[in-house]
């Protein structure tokens, strides 16, 4: 009973009415779209994802990937679906035209990604990883590398991976042992083992291009001695024609909780030929290009999973007849009412729905800033957008995935015992979503990034990229009686966020454990307020639309109602979070490690 | 890396020092134990569960139960383990001596149950269901029924089940269709289908005794027309010797998210011979005997899973070397520190640990009251204990399982990406625990039971069974400076609970949707305050122990520290919950069902 319809109307509302993307036509990429073209793309994406990917989601989960003598077979139908995917041009939406891409704005990419995740998260891993590899080579590759690899990524014939983790170190990349020895011809011989490599081996593409972190012989110890290498599965000539198999092996694939149709590989490099990407010993910087891209992608995965789980639960609660409304029967002629009449069932559904719609707004806001940061003519505007992204990346990654996991569980809960049965497909959502809190840096790592790197940077300068627009919005609207019941709670929780920020900055300065101890609660507080701001923007938009002649009044009234639900039932969590933060870290540190 | 050691020291502390069970020696059952006997039982239980059950936990999960032509084969080793279980007398700890049991206090049963769940939750389902069947027959069976079935349950040769749910109705039992036709000999012919029957078919015992809800031909409609029947898999003579196979069939078993080694059966009764248990059309009352027993059992499952997940995570975080302490290296001679040095890792571990120790205290408090309610000589004391149990049952069921699910996920999170890999065993804990929020009435149903039945009963009389002791405790200790930093937060959150109770009572009276809309938040608030009270009791106990000459000062200091953690980092949630509750249900009901 996995059910999905792409939320096209909601997307159009966000891009046209809330974020008014026609204001951005000064950017080249936005000249290529208008509301009609966008709608056409959305409708095609919706057809592809609903008709091709969704039917493979449950079968992909039960079959999983199969490993045999170094090869990985994806589940039945995946190869055909991937071919349809690349034929439809879905692999190259946002890639540069110079390299065979379509040069569309990032918002289009983000929206289509959400649909792919909703209908088949495991499938989406293969092109998702390629995206990160594309960005890294685009930004730091030399012109030959760009010319060779990027068109292959665009047409989807080659896919990419990120090879960071080794068995003894995940987060702490300074400990990695994989070695790179220089050859006389300028290439390198890469030797070492990597684990948890998504899409490290599979049967969808002709070639797989691994970006591998390794250490040069003369490299400094720790993270300052790491370089990034391109290590293809098959070597090729300059025209991209495959020549020899490289010394790259997939040793095994992991048996995981979920995303079983996505191969998670243990990779072995034995004097494999590699090419330096970017500068020597600057691998961490290169890695962060991929990583930031990937982190935002994982945040979108949270949203996509929460959306499909919500839709599947909403459908069920409208169909399932059991019990009676507590006031008066809704279906007096039938033996029972649908369970959606119950306030507690609605509480669960609305918690998820109010997250989805505001998280989608946030993802579009972030996507807009990606294009501004990369393509805006004004350098200050560019810089501001980059800072906004740096601030929002850990929040989007951790808050969207942590809340998504709660949400898919609420959606499962709406099914009662039936949610626990595999056929119904709800428990797959829970298993699949669980990885998003772990990979590309756990939620705890994101929280540390927020309080340890982003918050202190330039004396809190990054914070202003969020605080200023919110502050301005509140000041402009606080005396508007029509939305005071929305702006007042936002203002209150925004004040809590400011207070928490000051507390973390002040106490973290003298004792880093204070910032770290508060970090997860602080990130959550930040996330809740961010979505609160999204809801206030939507409420304001819809309120003005209510007065327009031909507007869909019910649609806009529901947005306002849902905004009020968020203020009433979600925003209050900020008060507890502030208390927990300001309680400090003393009780976290008072028990000896050995007494745990 | 599933790791478990029975928390014997903690249990002894709770029963001897905190709840001082030697005060209960006026109850017959308590005459059979003393600290030495109790320790002996705990140590034996710990050996059995660690050595026999834990090694079968992961293999049981990967093998699962196998269904073949109506038979169910449990995973390898389960039958041998079950034989060891019954030979060790673990099936009959709390059953009456008259019926072959050992007549031990319920606290012993509850403690051993927790150990069984921690080491193999799926295995525990088989004897767990038998327990409910035992209680139902003991309380409402006639003397022949007791004589025939109870000794068989005691020696574990026969097991029991509860047959309630049908495909079209879970919670709403008024809709069930299974029929019972009277026969001239006083027996009945039972016809119908049941789903989600745990332990409905398996190969562990010689016979399976199904307790089946069905409807007599002349029964009133709805839940007032339901009766309960004993329907054994094999019929027997009065001596319990098996005669004919009854017309009971297992049609299939469910493919589930977790507890895969526990069979979940679809049962078919085709004119199967059944015997009325209790009075005609009073099946719901009989059902609630089993159900209340089962609900408390499920709460204990929450605790047991949270405990084993905690221990497995604590071990890992002490072993896993990655990164550095933010202040100064703990392991300067090694390349990295263990990850337990990080405040955010400690936050996760302590959240779970502080739950486990206080939830265990609550489970012992409840167990004590079960024995008082059943065996105390004074009728007022008995009645008070029954009321306390009625109040606490939905809280123990929903709060302990909802929090446990959060906890097993926090424990998995401590493993990073490794937590997602099946071999490490953490994801099994998540999959297994997820069912506890669903069966025997979802968490939402418990919350409705709390606000709809328990709260209004006798004008709030039940509430007093919790409010009075807490109020008294706070008054007695509030001016004690040594624990004011523990009592003050408790008092504050207890006041919030009182305020929320008044709000729910008042607003629920005029509009049931107000009570229902607040119900889940209210139950959670109640649960958090309840564990807060447990922590305050433990802190007081440990504070006085600190001054005793031969006490384990580190143990007691850690209890006080953990109590402070709870007050600092968990209790603050009560403020948000109160805000959400008093925000009312209007925003829950404002969107039309069709617009979800």
């Amino acid at each position: 009973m996995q059910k999905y319809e792409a939320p096209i109307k909601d997307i159009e509302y966000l891009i046209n009415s809330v974020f008014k993307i026609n204001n951005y036509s000064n950017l080249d990429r936005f000249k290529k779209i208008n509301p009609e073209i966008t709608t056409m793309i959305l409708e095609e994406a919706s057809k592809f994802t609903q008709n091709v990917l969704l039917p493979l989601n449950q079968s992909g989960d039960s079959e999983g990937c199969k490993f045999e003598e170094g090869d990985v077979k994806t589940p039945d139908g995946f190869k055909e679906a991937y071919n349809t995917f690349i034929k439809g041009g879905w692999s190259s939406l946002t890639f540069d035209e110079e390299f065979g891409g379509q040069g569309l704005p990032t918002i289009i990419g983000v929206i289509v990604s959400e649909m792919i995740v909703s209908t088949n998260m495991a499938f989406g891993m293969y092109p998702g990883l390629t995206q990160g590899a594309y960005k890294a080579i685009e930004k730091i590759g030399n012109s030959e590398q760009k010319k060779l690899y990027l068109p292959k990524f665009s047409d989807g014939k080659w896919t990419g991976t990120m090879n960071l983790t080794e068995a003894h170190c995940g987060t702490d990349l300074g400990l990695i042992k994989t070695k790179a020895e220089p050859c006389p011809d300028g290439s390198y011989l890469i030797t070492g083992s990597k684990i948890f490599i998504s899409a490290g081996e599979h049967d969808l593409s002709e070639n797989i291009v691994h970006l591998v972190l390794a250490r040069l012989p003369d490299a400094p110890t720790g993270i300052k001695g790491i370089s990034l290498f391109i290590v293809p599965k098959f070597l090729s000539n300059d025209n991209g024609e495959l020549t020899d198999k490289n010394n790259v092996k997939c040793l095994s694939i992991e048996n995981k909780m979920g995303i079983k149709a996505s191969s998670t590989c243990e990779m072995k490099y034995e004097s494999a030929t590699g090419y330096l990407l970017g500068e020597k010993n600057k691998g961490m910087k290169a890695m962060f290009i991929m990583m930031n891209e990937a982190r935002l992608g994982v945040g979108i995965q949270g949203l996509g999973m929460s959306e499909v789980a919500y839709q599947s639960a909403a459908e069920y609660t409208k169909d399932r007849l059991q019990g009676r409304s507590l006031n008066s029967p809704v279906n007096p002629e039938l033996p029972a009412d649908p369970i959606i009449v119950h306030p507690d069932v609605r509480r669960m559904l609305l918690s998820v729905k109010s997250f989805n719609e505001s998280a989608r707004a946030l993802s579009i806001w972030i996507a807009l800033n990606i294009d501004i940061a990369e393509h805006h003519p004004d350098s200050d505007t560019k810089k501001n957008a980059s800072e906004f992204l740096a601030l929002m990346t850990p929040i989007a990654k951790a808050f969207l995935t942590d809340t998504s996991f709660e949400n898919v569980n609420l959606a499962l809960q709406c099914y009662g015992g039936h949610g626990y049965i595999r056929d119904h497909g709800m428990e797959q959502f829970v298993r699949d979503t669980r990885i998003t809190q772990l990979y590309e840096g756990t939620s705890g790592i994101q929280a540390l990034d927020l309080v340890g790197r982003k918050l202190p940077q330039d004396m809190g300068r990054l914070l202003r990229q969020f605080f200023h627009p919110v502050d301005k919005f509140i000041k402009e609207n606080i005396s508007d009686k029509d939305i005071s019941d929305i702006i007042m709670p936002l203002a209150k929780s925004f004040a809590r966020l400011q207070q928490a920020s000051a507390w973390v900055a002040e106490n973290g300065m003298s004792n880093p454990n204070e910032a770290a101890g508060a970090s997860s609660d602080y990130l959550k507080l930040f996330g809740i307020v961010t979505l609160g701001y999204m809801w206030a923007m939507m409420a304001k938009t819809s309120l003005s639309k209510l007065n327009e002649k031909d507007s869909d009044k019910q649609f806009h009234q529901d947005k306002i109602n849902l905004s009020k639900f968020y203020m009433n039932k979600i925003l209050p969590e900020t008060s507890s979070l502030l208390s927990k933060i300001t309680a400090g870290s003393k009780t976290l540190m008072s028990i000896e490690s050995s007494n745990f």
Side-chain angles (χ1 to χ4, degrees), chain A:
Chain A
M1 307 209 267
Q2 296 184 341
K3 193 240 163 195
Y4 181 73
E5 269 177 47
I8 292 182
K9 191 170 179 184
D10 198 49
I11 295 164
E12 290 174 334
Y13 163 75
L14 288 170
I15 59 182
N16 298 324
S17 305
V18 180
F19 289 101
K20 300 189 176 67
I21 60 161
N22 56 0
N23 290 349
Y24 296 85
S25 51
N26 57 332
L27 298 181
D28 275 349
R29 297 206 150 210
F30 286 80
K31 292 193 178 115
K32 310 192 119 192
I33 56 165
N34 59 36
E36 290 69 39
I37 292 178
T38 304
T39 299
M40 212 185 66
I41 299 173
L42 296 181
E43 278 170 2
E44 285 306 310
S46 126
K47 273 187 223 159
F48 167 70
T49 53
Q50 288 168 227
N51 300 338
V52 178
L53 296 186
L54 188 59
L56 296 176
N57 195 39
Q58 285 184 270
S59 61
D61 177 59
S62 39
E63 272 182 58
C65 284
K66 299 211 169 61
F67 179 77
E68 215 169 287
E69 295 178 17
D71 290 332
V72 171
K73 197 186 158 312
T74 55
D76 272 0
F78 269 55
K79 193 158 171 53
E80 294 75 12
Y82 186 75
N83 288 337
T84 311
F85 172 83
I86 58 179
K87 267 188 211 133
W90 301 113
S91 53
S92 63
L93 288 174
T94 61
F95 293 170
D96 230 69
E97 285 173 296
E98 186 187 348
F99 303 114
Q102 298 167 58
L104 290 167
T106 304
I107 40 163
I108 301 290
V110 158
I111 289 163
V112 173
S113 285
E114 186 201 321
M115 295 185 197
I116 292 173
V117 172
S118 287
T119 48
N120 201 321
M121 175 170 158
F123 177 91
M125 294 293 291
Y126 299 96
L129 269 296
T130 306
Q131 192 117 358
Y134 179 99
K135 282 267 172 162
I137 296 179
E138 186 194 33
K139 291 215 175 143
I140 57 167
N142 59 38
S143 60
E144 287 77 28
Q145 289 171 336
K146 289 188 203 180
K147 223 180 101 195
L148 175 60
Y149 297 104
L150 300 187
K152 292 292 186 184
F153 289 152
S154 286
D155 68 15
K157 293 279 166 63
W158 295 7
T159 55
T161 74
M162 284 163 65
N163 280 242
L164 318 177
T165 307
E166 300 182 4
H168 60 290
C169 64
T171 298
D172 189 357
L173 291 170
L175 301 176
I176 70 167
K177 294 175 183 165
T178 298
K179 285 183 295 190
E181 285 172 87
C183 303
D185 68 353
S187 69
Y188 294 81
L189 292 179
I190 311 293
T191 302
S193 297
K194 298 282 178 177
I195 62 164
F196 296 169
I197 308 309
S198 296
E201 180 54 47
H202 57 81
D203 54 5
L204 301 182
S205 61
E206 292 167 7
N207 198 6
I208 301 173
V209 179
H210 304 288
L211 300 194
V212 182
L213 287 183
R215 200 177 276 290
L216 288 165
D218 55 353
T221 54
I223 55 166
K224 287 179 179 158
I226 292 173
S227 307
L228 185 60
F229 297 87
I230 300 175
V231 189
K233 176 179 169 185
F234 290 102
L235 302 173
S236 65
N237 62 25
D238 294 348
N239 297 327
E241 283 149 10
L242 301 182
T243 56
D244 300 319
K245 173 88 171 61
N246 202 353
N247 291 325
V248 177
K249 249 192 242 166
C250 173
L251 294 185
S252 65
I253 59 173
E254 302 287 352
N255 186 1
K256 309 187 298 293
M257 183 183 196
I259 52 165
K260 288 170 189 275
S262 162
S263 61
T264 305
C265 304
E266 184 186 358
M267 302 299 296
K268 177 111 186 159
Y269 298 88
E270 288 175 302
S271 300
T273 300
Y275 311 100
L276 183 68
L277 178 60
E279 291 175 63
K280 285 183 191 177
N281 299 331
K282 298 275 173 159
M284 286 304 283
K285 199 182 143 200
M287 192 277 295
F288 266 115
I289 296 171
M290 290 191 285
M291 191 54 103
N292 284 330
E293 177 81 17
R295 285 179 173 174
L296 292 171
V298 176
I300 304 295
Q301 289 184 325
L303 166 59
M305 294 309 291
S306 183
E307 175 67 30
V308 68
Y310 166 76
Q311 290 194 28
S312 304
E315 178 95 340
Y316 185 77
T317 59
K318 287 188 261 187
D319 285 350
R320 175 79 174 171
L321 302 181
Q322 255 208 172
R324 284 293 184 195
S325 158
L326 296 173
N327 289 335
S328 57
V330 170
N331 273 345
E333 74 291 357
L334 292 175
D337 291 335
I339 60 175
I340 198 173
V341 300
H342 293 292
D344 194 60
V345 170
R346 289 172 153 256
R347 174 190 64 82
M348 296 192 280
L349 290 172
L350 291 173
S351 298
V352 187
K353 187 174 166 64
S354 68
F355 167 84
N356 294 349
E357 296 183 15
S358 53
R360 185 171 299 119
L362 175 60
S363 82
I364 287 171
W365 193 21
I366 288 174
L368 271 175
N369 276 282
I370 291 176
D371 285 332
I372 294 171
E374 291 188 4
H375 306 293
H376 203 281
D378 176 59
S379 66
D380 276 353
T381 311
K382 255 177 115 132
K383 184 160 181 262
N384 288 340
S386 292
E387 289 176 350
F388 174 80
L389 292 173
L391 176 68
M392 279 296 158
T393 299
I395 296 166
K397 167 40 169 109
F399 181 68
L400 297 193
T401 62
D402 287 345
T403 316
S404 173
F405 186 67
E406 288 173 21
N407 289 350
V408 296
N409 276 293
L410 286 173
L412 185 158
Q413 193 72 16
C414 291
Y415 275 68
H418 296 273
Y420 202 65
I421 305 301
R422 291 195 66 159
D423 278 354
H424 292 157
M426 301 303 287
E427 61 88 47
Q428 184 192 349
F429 295 148
V430 172
R431 288 184 292 103
D432 285 354
T433 305
R434 188 64 183 86
I435 187 62
T436 62
Q437 301 169 281
L438 299 165
Y439 59 14
E440 317 303 359
T442 62
S443 299
I445 289 297
Q446 306 305 319
L448 268 189
D449 178 48
L450 179 63
V451 302
R453 288 206 197 98
K454 305 303 168 61
L455 210 61
Q457 200 169 312
D458 292 333
M459 302 289 287
R461 193 186 145 82
L462 266 52
L463 269 188
R464 284 175 239 161
Q465 302 299 341
F466 179 77
F467 283 12
H468 279 183
V470 179
D471 197 43
K472 184 161 167 269
F473 181 87
I474 291 174
K475 283 192 180 124
E476 280 168 7
N477 293 287
I478 194 122
S479 42
D480 180 349
K481 272 195 299 187
D482 288 343
I483 50 169
S484 62
D485 51 354
I486 285 165
I487 304 297
M488 288 302 292
L490 175 66
K492 213 160 147 183
S493 65
F494 179 55
R496 288 180 184 135
L497 175 61
Q498 290 175 303
Q499 205 181 326
S501 304
W503 190 95
V504 170
E506 197 180 313
N507 291 277
M509 200 106 72
S510 52
N511 179 358
N513 276 343
E514 287 295 344
S519 61
S520 282
D521 290 327
Y522 178 71
L523 186 145
K524 187 173 182 184
L525 171 57
F526 212 130
I528 292 175
V529 174
T530 304
L531 297 197
Y533 175 47
M534 296 295 100
W535 268 119
M537 282 177 68
M538 289 190 273
K540 186 170 166 74
T541 303
S542 282
L543 208 63
S544 75
K545 290 278 169 190
L546 270 186
N547 302 321
E548 286 179 15
K549 204 169 60 151
D550 293 325
S551 71
D552 181 342
K553 299 214 163 31
Q554 191 59 58
F555 177 87
H556 292 293
Q557 189 56 57
D558 281 348
K559 290 283 179 207
I560 295 165
N561 287 339
L562 199 50
S563 176
K564 287 183 185 169
F565 166 84
Y566 190 88
M567 303 302 163
N568 260 337
K569 296 288 191 183
I570 308 291
L571 262 192
E573 287 175 32
T574 53
S575 83
S576 300
L577 290 165
L578 179 62
S579 302
K580 290 186 197 188
I581 291 164
T582 55
S585 74
K586 196 175 150 207
T587 60
L588 293 173
M589 308 312 286
S590 60
I591 296 177
E592 284 292 324
S593 296
S594 54
N595 294 341
F596 274 76

